[in-house]
Amino acid sequence: MKIVLLGYGKMGQLIERFAMKRGHEVVLIVDERNRESIEIEDLQDADLAIDFSTPHAALENISLCFEANLPLVVGTTGWYDHLDEVRETCIEADQALLYGSNFSIGVNIFFHINKMLAKAINPYKQYDVQVEEIHHIHKLDAPSGTAITIAEGILENTDAKKNWVNSIEGSGEEVIPKPDELLIESLRIEEVPGTHTVLYSSEVDQIEFKHTAHSREGFALGAVIAAEWLLGKKGFFQVTEMFDFNN
């Protein structure tokens, strides 16, 4: 594939390395230094774009790729308030977009088991649940998209919680969740790639379900694999659709 990279931070650079290892070619790199000068014509020679930019830039990049009829993988999070709008535009324009909060194979297995665990514990009301996420201090959004996906998986499979709320450690704003609210606690610690923990606590015991990323490489490789999966398709997809654990 001929790939356009939208965003060229640490993730973008890793994606470039894995794309080249898998026989692909990066034909254009777009970041804050040249984004304003990029036109639709600049994307015509590419087969697909991969976006790991910023929440605001991601929305602009999505529109640009739709106009250029260029399939797009979006690993940027923080723009999901516009998800329905983007989905509608994508389908109406017969475009191709795959998005996800995390492209790691391990995390997607985690998502699957998280739903099973929530369903298994649901009858036992003595357990309260919360989510904790830890990331590097450079991460722009909180909670992480991965933590939101985890929370949504719990909410879909439990009767006790109706919505999630976020507490950011060090923000100075104390968040005390109501009994029917699922707390996502966000911590930002130097160069932590990403740690997510689901905690079920009762008076007699605690269950911890945890995923720890050792580096960003799993995310980058997964994004390239997602691009390979998306090529040739039309529609609006979530990364979890790449993983069919029921077969």
Side-chain angles (χ1 to χ4, degrees):
M1 291 184 295
K2 294 182 178 181
I3 297 173
V4 173
L5 290 181
L6 301 167
Y8 198 60
K10 292 180 179 179
M11 275 299 298
Q13 293 170 40
L14 278 174
I15 290 168
E16 180 182 34
R17 178 154 62 86
F18 278 106
M20 293 174 66
K21 277 186 178 181
R22 295 177 70 86
H24 306 304
E25 179 186 0
V26 174
V27 295
L28 178 64
I29 293 171
V30 179
D31 61 14
E32 67 276 3
R33 293 169 294 183
N34 65 348
R35 177 61 180 86
E36 295 301 319
S37 64
I38 297 297
E39 304 289 345
I40 294 174
E41 293 74 19
D42 298 316
L43 309 180
Q44 296 302 313
D45 292 333
D47 298 311
L48 186 141
I50 300 177
D51 181 287
F52 274 83
S53 57
T54 64
H56 178 70
L59 286 170
E60 294 183 351
N61 292 338
I62 290 168
S63 296
L64 179 67
C65 288
F66 283 175
E67 290 181 41
N69 199 34
L70 187 67
L72 175 66
V73 170
V74 184
T76 307
T77 58
W79 58 273
Y80 293 169
D81 287 347
H82 301 274
L83 203 60
D84 291 339
E85 172 190 340
V86 172
R87 178 190 292 110
E88 183 178 345
T89 302
C90 179
I91 293 172
E92 286 182 354
D94 196 30
Q95 296 299 311
L97 184 149
L98 184 149
Y99 78 96
S101 59
N102 198 309
F103 288 86
S104 160
I105 293 172
V107 164
N108 280 280
I109 293 172
F110 186 98
F111 289 157
H112 180 68
I113 298 174
N114 173 59
K115 293 181 179 181
M116 296 172 61
L117 182 58
K119 189 173 183 179
I121 293 180
N122 186 45
Y124 305 101
K125 306 306 180 187
Q126 64 267 40
Y127 286 93
D128 193 26
V129 59
Q130 75 174 62
V131 177
E132 179 186 273
E133 60 101 349
I134 308 172
H135 280 86
H136 51 86
I137 58 176
H138 312 291
K139 186 166 181 59
L140 299 178
D141 55 320
S144 69
T146 301
I148 292 173
T149 302
I150 292 168
E152 289 174 343
I154 295 169
L155 294 173
E156 290 169 9
N157 292 280
T158 186
D159 301 322
K161 304 294 183 180
K162 302 305 178 186
N163 59 278
W164 60 263
V165 293
N166 183 221
S167 173
I168 304 174
E169 186 178 86
S171 67
E173 297 182 12
E174 185 178 8
V175 176
I176 302 176
K178 298 175 183 177
D180 65 349
E181 291 179 330
L182 172 60
L183 177 65
I184 303 176
E185 188 173 11
S186 299
L187 296 86
R188 296 292 176 262
I189 302 174
E190 289 303 324
E191 296 304 317
V192 176
T195 300
H196 294 85
T197 308
V198 180
L199 301 101
Y200 288 92
S201 301
S202 74
E203 290 185 359
V204 297
D205 60 7
Q206 179 167 290
I207 300 168
E208 293 189 15
F209 181 44
K210 184 176 184 178
H211 178 275
T212 302
H214 298 308
S215 73
R216 295 182 177 90
E217 292 192 359
F219 312 146
L221 174 59
V224 177
I225 293 172
E228 294 168 353
W229 184 89
L230 182 63
L231 192 66
K233 294 181 174 65
K234 293 288 186 181
F236 190 82
F237 305 98
Q238 193 169 1
V239 67
T240 51
E241 295 180 55
M242 293 171 51
F243 301 88
D244 186 358
F245 298 111
N246 296 316
N247 293 329

